[in-house]
Structure formats: structure tokens, C-alpha cells
Amino acid sequence: MATEDDVRGIALSLPGAYERESYGGRPSWRTKPRMFSGIRDDPEALVVWVASVEEKEELIASDPGTFFTTSHYDGHPVVLVRLDDVDADELRELVEESWRLRAPRTLSANRDRAPGR
């Protein structure tokens, strides 16, 4: 089971990442110029970007207990993740991939070239 603090720790470890309040005062994590992850209410869930709407649909179909969406995200490559149903490794993978998709290319390219990568 993952927590908001787990998300925070992963997100803030990524280059250029910072935390900012989003809708309803909920936390979101961003790089300039955009958000790459957040926590939403009703129901509480992690918000992450995926590579495509097709990937989103595949995740939801593969594990609808963990992955879901709402009409607000229809047509967008954004998936919602129930934190209670995701482990630490999967959480890290989801947040890092979302960051990679949304961060400026210079940040993600620099990280990919870092030693140990």
C-alpha cells in the first residue's frame, strides 16, 4: 500500500520537480512548465500520465481494481491509481514514467545520461 508521502518522496527526487497545491488544495508535482503527478479527491487517487490513451485503456483493462478513470480524463492519456492497491516498485515506475513524459526534454535526457542509468 502506497501513501501520499511515498508519492511525494519519489516525485521530489526527480530532477526539476517541485510540489504545488492544485485543485482543492491537493498536492501536485511539477516541472516547469507542467504537472506530472498529483493526488485527487473523490475518490482519492494518484494522477499520472501514460504514453497514450491506448496504454491507459490497457492498464485499466488489466487491473480495474487499481487503475481507473473518470469522465474528466476521457480522451487524455491520464490514468488514476488507487494508492491502496499499488506497491512501492510499481508506484515508482508510474511516477517516474509520468515525469519522463511531461518533463522538459533536457531534464529527462540529462537523467538518462547520468551514471548508473
Side-chain angles (χ1 to χ4, degrees):
M1 176 170 94
T3 67
E4 184 178 307
D5 284 337
D6 295 331
V7 176
R8 179 174 287 109
I10 294 166
L12 293 177
S13 74
L14 298 167
Y18 62 96
E19 186 170 335
R20 186 173 110 191
E21 282 189 6
S22 192
Y23 306 103
R26 300 299 294 161
S28 70
W29 295 276
R30 301 167 180 266
T31 62
K32 292 194 180 203
R34 53 188 118 151
M35 185 169 107
F36 66 89
S37 189
I39 303 289
R40 60 163 275 145
D41 279 329
D42 197 24
E44 184 176 67
L46 172 67
V47 179
V48 290
W49 275 256
V50 293
S52 66
V53 171
E54 292 78 20
E55 181 178 339
K56 167 188 174 172
E57 292 168 354
E58 289 171 8
L59 281 170
I60 293 168
S62 73
D63 188 355
T66 301
F67 302 103
F68 68 104
T69 192
T70 66
S71 60
H72 178 77
Y73 299 104
D74 285 351
H76 299 282
V78 176
V79 69
L80 302 173
V81 184
R82 289 179 180 88
L83 289 175
D84 288 347
D85 296 328
V86 69
D87 67 27
D89 290 336
E90 188 169 26
L91 178 66
R92 178 169 296 284
E93 183 179 319
L94 290 163
V95 173
E96 287 182 356
E97 181 62 16
S98 187
W99 172 86
R100 187 175 310 285
L101 291 166
R102 304 284 290 171
R105 289 184 187 165
T106 53
L107 284 178
S108 58
N110 287 339
R111 185 165 193 262
D112 289 342
R113 287 193 300 267
R117 284 277 180 219

